[in-house]
Amino acid sequence: MLTQSVEYALRAVVFLAKEGEPRTTAQVAEATQVPSAYLSKILQGLARAGVVRSQRGIGGGMTLVCGPNELTILDVVNAVEPLQRIETCPLGLLEHGVKLCSLHRRLDNAMKSVEDAFRNSTLADVLADPNPSVPLCGTADSAEG
Amino acid sequence: MLTQSVEYALRAVVFLAKEGEPRTTAQVAEATQVPSAYLSKILQGLARAGVVRSQRGIGGGMTLVCGPNELTILDVVNAVEPLQRIETCPLGLLEHGVKLCSLHRRLDNAMKSVEDAFRNSTLADVLADPNPSVPLCGTADSAEG
DNA sequence: CCGAAACTGGATGACTGTGTCCAGTTTCGG
DNA sequence: CCGAAACTGGACACAGTCATCCAGTTTCGG
């Protein structure tokens, strides 16, 4: 339902939030197991959206612009592929423009529940979650096959 | 977030539910404002999935297999493009397989909320909704532009 | 049987998402 | 200044989605 690019972007920012210091595209790619050439495009997008800052040259890399508690999953999703709500009738029916019909209202409510869930999760929340599985972290041999 | 094909399929089944009798692809296409050549492919898929029954020849057309109160939005969505939950860790980390990490658990919870919302809406619900905008219905000149 | 109505299936094309590659540019350290 | 490190941008390839068109098949009515 969400695109591959969104998944990759989320992994990348979670990693950057966990590290807290500049990391190169190659480092992020290895840690998140995302193809590095493609990840660089995604990070470029996040940089243009103001989520991440890039620094060229030796010692450079990518850093989060905000702290983990000021950046939500929704921010990242919207930076990569804006989560679009149904604002007006997809059929272009004028009467449905202001108040969606029952079908589209139901679809939009589902969108809204996703949006709300994403808005209520900051990266700090994700990292602080009392969960046995730490995001992106596996033992050396756990990613085989 | 949902594909165009899902939107088209939902419009089509809502229309068929409202009519209750066989309707040709052309009739459905006009009522739902979906390109008819493409709609025929979508209806073929719905027929293969057992949501709709097709009848060739004069007097034929498409009919719902079940009654509107036995068919949910989720059924239609899954027939066209299965709504996929996150079952195992997308990174392939073995430790995360059974219990998702906090990032993927949050993403999957969002998927689940969509799935639940769709499962709880039958076509009968959609049609019976006390809403001033009746699904797919506009006055003759409301779909201009 | 004949023909019109209606669905079926394959070929085709544009566009987007995913992914790779490489040449170019910036920056830092010496 | 020089070179290595690192990001940037463009070109390309491939698959899937969206969409169209047409020839073929089934079915009904007369």
Side-chain angles (χ1 to χ4, degrees), chain B residues 46-125:
Chain B
L46 290 177
R48 272 191 293 271
V51 170
V52 135
R53 182 181 305 114
S54 67
Q55 177 64 38
R56 298 209 253 200
I58 290 181
M62 298 288 183
T63 334
L64 288 189
V65 168
C66 308
N69 44 1
E70 288 153 36
L71 189 62
T72 67
I73 290 185
L74 183 61
D75 294 327
V76 179
V77 170
N78 278 336
V80 176
E81 173 205 63
L83 193 51
Q84 54 191 39
R85 298 284 300 277
I86 303 175
E87 310 279 5
T88 64
C89 177
L91 284 92
L93 300 175
L94 296 186
E95 300 93 312
H96 294 201
V98 198
K99 191 168 178 55
L100 296 174
C101 75
S102 50
L103 172 62
H104 291 121
R105 190 153 39 75
R106 278 157 207 263
L107 298 183
D108 185 55
N109 280 343
M111 290 301 119
K112 177 168 164 47
S113 69
V114 170
E115 198 179 64
D116 288 345
F118 286 174
R119 181 169 25 239
N120 288 325
S121 290
T122 67
L123 292 194
D125 292 338

